[in-house]
Amino acid sequence: MKYLVCFLLCSYGALSLFAQEQLGLRTENYSGVNGIALNPASNLTTPFRWDVNLGAFGVFVDNNFGSFQNTSIGQLLSTRSEDIFLATDFPADQQFSNDATVFDFAEPGKNKFFSAVTTIQGPSFLLNFDQHAIGLFTNFRAMGGGHRIPAVFGYYDYQSILPNNDYDVFPTIASGMAWGEIGINYLFKKEVASGQIGLGISAKYLQGYESFFIKNDSDLDITKMNRDVLTFNGGAIVRFGFTHSSLDEETVNLQQNGTGFGLDLGITYASEGYLDGYGIKLGAAILDMGRIRFEQNTESHRVNINEVFTFDPRNLSDVTDFRDGLSQLNEELFGNANTTFLGTSYTMGLPTTFSLQADLAIQESFFVNATLLQRLAIPDLLVERGNLLAVTPRFEHRWVSAFLPVSVYNWKHLKVGAALRVAFFVIGTEDLGSFVGQGNLTGTDFYAGIKINPFRVGNGGNRRSKAVKCYEF
């Protein structure tokens, strides 16, 4: 089990490079070019004639497979590796020292998910005119995980199945992809009788770096035999693929292995008086329509067996690396080291998502934002975004803004966060409890950004315009 503990720690370390939605960067009227990630028409109410993002990054991970018990991120990072234990290696009544950190798997009964997301926004800018706005942006993004994984893949769920009993695995996918974006954003603005409306579009050229997927296309009827031997009663059709530019190297070798095109479409309406402290702003968007075709350093495979067969994982002995394990799997199932190989290319879909926003002005400088993100599984093979519902009260000022997001991720985990913007600097988290709490740590989140924009603001060409004084601390 020590190898499993090492894997869990490495996973948390690697996934800490990921971030979720960065609500403190994207939901206020001063978010500028950063806000178009949630809706390409979100900059309808920006007060800036121009806005430049110098850089923004974040960290995010979440899962319901298991958790570190009664700890926080700070405590976990300061714990020595020899003081980290796996609960299943010990009796249920085992007492651990005060310095110990224990990882335990989730209780049985629920479908599982694990999720990691990053958006590192590079140099980007926005130019705002009376009826139009145009922006250029650069992003590095990565997503990985699975969002509807059968409960039986949970440790205690699987252990509860007795030998010679059957269980089913419904169709599911686990996937990941890292890619770059170079995009252009355009917004058309129009005055209407009750306020203002904007139509936005973001077109993106995509550079695919790394990807993987594994997907079973039909139900699997499996009998668990003694000593974890598995009998597949109706055969199995399982597809998987991966890029190997880093897989075959000792270190990460990030290079372009594919290209594609993506599109975001959005609409935003702001009522009369919204910026004066009364009224509402509403938005809707479809994000990340598009695909990347991987054709370099790429392999696709398929296990296609239409009859009953038995698989004994113990026959995969002394596996030295991924390639060796894949060859042994082919030998075990087919007696040939390359039977599953299909080709040297595949297409991965972007994490297509439906996005809704509502921003209610309570009084001048006080707002409450509601954001809904619902994934849409349109392509056959894709990376999936996690579902999110967030309500974010905020105080908004030219020089200081404060946010208190309350969110539900994947309809399972309730989180409370906090964010602060001081002038051109933003720092925040959507999971404050992971830093200050003593609960069961299933993930964490952190983000920060820096940008520049003008001292004089005026809602992008609207008649309302004023100069602001520097905030006095």
Side-chain angles (χ1 to χ4, degrees):
M1 283 296 184
K2 65 179 181 180
Y3 299 106
L4 180 56
V5 174
C6 291
F7 170 76
L8 294 169
L9 293 176
C10 291
S11 297
Y12 265 71
L15 294 178
S16 69
L17 299 175
F18 297 93
Q20 180 55 14
E21 301 303 339
Q22 304 174 7
L23 297 173
L25 271 170
R26 298 175 176 174
T27 54
E28 68 168 332
N29 292 298
Y30 294 104
S31 62
V33 70
N34 300 88
I36 64 177
L38 287 179
N39 186 330
S42 69
N43 50 14
L44 174 69
T45 56
T46 182
F48 299 125
R49 283 293 187 177
W50 56 268
D51 181 66
V52 176
N53 175 78
L54 299 178
F57 75 96
V59 293
F60 171 86
V61 63
D62 199 14
N63 86 102
N64 69 343
F65 278 87
S67 61
F68 290 98
Q69 305 293 294
N70 301 316
T71 190
S72 66
I73 285 296
Q75 291 175 318
L76 178 62
L77 294 178
S78 63
T79 302
R80 299 177 304 173
S81 59
E82 57 265 32
D83 290 327
I84 298 177
F85 302 95
L86 188 62
T88 52
D89 285 344
F90 301 90
D93 58 353
Q94 175 72 32
Q95 297 296 315
F96 295 94
S97 68
N98 293 333
D99 295 330
T101 298
V102 180
F103 183 93
D104 197 5
F105 295 99
E107 293 296 319
K110 295 181 179 180
N111 289 337
K112 302 296 188 284
F113 79 89
F114 68 97
S115 180
V117 178
T118 187
T119 299
I120 302 175
Q121 188 170 1
S124 309
F125 72 87
L126 170 71
L127 297 176
N128 204 10
F129 306 100
D130 288 347
Q131 289 187 306
H132 311 275
I134 189 168
L136 292 175
F137 58 89
T138 59
N139 293 318
F140 173 83
R141 300 174 64 186
M143 292 189 179
H147 292 275
R148 188 172 175 266
I149 298 175
V152 69
F153 284 97
Y155 179 85
Y156 291 121
D157 295 86
Y158 181 77
Q159 293 299 320
S160 67
I161 301 173
L162 298 176
N164 300 313
N165 282 4
D166 295 344
Y167 63 91
D168 294 325
V169 175
F170 54 74
T172 189
I173 183 172
S175 60
M177 183 165 66
W179 73 99
E181 299 178 345
I182 301 173
I184 183 170
N185 171 262
Y186 171 73
L187 172 68
F188 172 74
K189 298 180 285 186
K190 183 177 177 59
E191 297 282 350
V192 294
S194 58
Q196 195 177 27
I197 194 168
L199 302 174
I201 181 172
S202 293
K204 301 175 282 190
Y205 171 71
L206 309 174
Q207 299 170 306
Y209 298 117
E210 301 287 349
S211 65
F212 75 90
F213 72 90
I214 180 168
K215 181 179 183 181
N216 61 298
D217 291 306
S218 59
D219 291 330
L220 301 178
D221 178 13
I222 303 173
T223 301
K224 180 181 178 182
M225 313 300 288
N226 287 314
R227 304 180 68 181
D228 291 331
V229 175
L230 304 177
T231 296
F232 290 75
N233 300 304
I237 301 176
V238 179
R239 290 181 290 159
F240 61 97
F242 52 89
T243 53
H244 53 77
S245 50
S246 294
L247 185 66
D248 297 333
E249 303 288 340
E250 293 184 358
T251 59
V252 175
N253 181 27
L254 198 65
Q255 60 179 281
Q256 183 174 328
N257 292 315
T259 59
F261 180 77
L263 197 66
D264 300 341
L265 298 174
I267 183 171
T268 296
Y269 163 79
S271 67
E272 185 72 27
Y274 163 75
L275 291 174
D276 292 327
Y278 59 93
I280 194 169
K281 181 170 76 171
L282 301 172
I286 298 180
L287 307 175
D288 290 323
M289 295 179 288
R291 302 181 180 188
I292 297 177
R293 180 70 174 175
F294 287 90
E295 297 181 307
Q296 303 293 325
N297 302 306
T298 301
E299 291 184 21
S300 62
H301 293 254
R302 182 175 65 184
V303 174
N304 189 357
I305 302 176
N306 296 315
E307 57 188 23
V308 177
F309 71 96
T310 298
F311 173 66
D312 186 350
R314 294 170 301 166
N315 291 337
L316 305 183
S317 60
D318 299 324
V319 175
T320 58
D321 54 34
F322 178 81
R323 290 289 187 189
D324 180 42
L326 182 58
S327 296
Q328 288 195 43
L329 177 65
N330 273 272
E331 290 283 358
E332 170 69 12
L333 295 179
F334 304 105
N336 186 307
N338 289 311
T339 304
T340 63
F341 181 77
L342 279 182
T344 58
S345 65
Y346 57 79
T347 299
M348 288 284 286
L350 295 181
T352 307
T353 305
F354 179 60
S355 173
L356 280 177
Q357 312 87 42
D359 206 50
L360 180 65
I362 304 299
Q363 62 182 60
E364 188 174 2
S365 299
F366 288 92
F367 299 82
V368 177
N369 177 272
T371 296
L372 171 68
L373 296 171
Q374 175 65 49
R375 61 179 171 269
L376 303 174
I378 295 177
D380 176 43
L381 300 176
L382 77 164
V383 286
E384 294 181 308
R385 200 170 189 156
N387 296 326
L388 180 76
L389 175 62
V391 176
T392 308
R394 75 180 185 275
F395 168 79
E396 178 179 294
H397 187 276
R398 171 63 182 88
W399 298 108
V400 175
S401 293
F403 308 78
L404 189 66
V406 179
S407 60
V408 179
Y409 185 70
N410 267 341
W411 312 116
K412 290 181 173 67
H413 288 171
L414 178 67
K415 301 177 182 291
V416 178
L420 178 69
R421 176 182 59 81
V422 178
F424 309 122
F425 302 91
V426 179
I427 187 172
T429 177
E430 290 161 31
D431 190 2
L432 192 61
S434 66
F435 293 94
V436 302
Q438 282 283 325
N440 294 337
L441 186 64
T442 62
T444 190
D445 172 87
F446 174 80
Y447 57 88
I450 179 172
K451 58 163 50 189
I452 55 175
N453 36 52
F455 278 59
R456 178 178 291 272
V457 297
N459 196 31
N462 282 0
R463 292 183 295 273
R464 188 185 307 106
S465 179
K466 60 182 179 180
V468 295
K469 298 178 182 180
C470 288
Y471 188 79
E472 296 180 1
F473 294 93

